[in-house]
Amino acid sequence: MLSGTNGSGKSSVFDAVTYALFGHHRGGSQSAAELINKETSTLSVEFDFTSDKQLYRIKRTVRRQKNDKIASTQQVLKFAQK
């Protein structure tokens, strides 16, 4: 459960998880650049999860460039099982 006052960032947590997993956010197909804080030019999200006892990590970055274009990266890591 997430709780907090309005504007404390609860929706941002869900946006980050959704973007990490699916490459988009609550706004659907809208630009991921909308997720970047207005005071910065990049965002980075990492999300670790397990599925069928297998550990994964997803990393995504988005960078707003000077020409208003967007550059992004994505990585999916599957960790060796012990």
Side-chain angles (χ1 to χ4, degrees), residues 19-22 45-49 56-60 74-77 79:
Y19 183 70
L21 290 173
F22 306 111
V45 63
E46 291 185 27
F47 184 64
D48 293 351
F49 65 96
Y56 297 89
R57 175 174 291 155
I58 296 178
K59 296 181 181 183
R60 292 186 189 263
Q74 64 181 19
Q75 274 185 313
V76 179
L77 305 170
F79 292 93

Side-chain angles (χ1 to χ4, degrees), residues 47-57 77-81:
F47 184 64
D48 293 351
F49 65 96
T50 57
S51 178
D52 293 328
K53 299 182 182 178
Q54 176 65 55
L55 177 62
Y56 297 89
R57 175 174 291 155
L77 305 170
K78 180 178 177 181
F79 292 93
Q81 292 185 340

Side-chain angles (χ1 to χ4, degrees), residues 19 23-36 43 62-64 68-71:
Y19 183 70
H24 58 82
H25 56 96
R26 289 178 294 146
S29 62
Q30 297 177 14
S31 172
E34 296 175 3
L35 298 174
I36 301 173
L43 77 81
V62 178
R63 184 176 351 151
R64 187 182 310 121
D68 287 333
K69 293 195 178 195
I70 301 300

